[in-house]
Amino acid sequence: MIFLVAAFLLLGVLVGAAAHTPPPVSLAAGAVIGGWLVIFAIRERRRTRGGAR
């Protein structure tokens, strides 16, 4: 239960911070985070499947 409360508190802080930034900044930050996640997923897939590296 404490974990759930902490998760909602963190989510509220993050959403509140995003609400006060201009939309282009939020979109740019989202694109950077999304790109990093895609690169991370590709590297992990290569590593776990015994890829070239």
Side-chain angles (χ1 to χ4, degrees):
M1 187 67 176
I2 295 287
F3 174 75
L4 190 60
V5 171
F8 279 129
L9 181 63
L10 182 62
L11 180 66
V13 169
L14 292 176
V15 169
H20 294 288
T21 59
V25 174
S26 296
L27 291 175
V32 169
I33 292 169
W36 178 78
L37 287 173
V38 167
I39 292 169
F40 178 77
I42 291 169
R43 291 181 69 193
E44 285 296 311
R45 178 171 283 202
R46 280 187 188 170
R47 189 175 66 86
T48 57
R49 291 189 181 206
R53 293 184 183 182

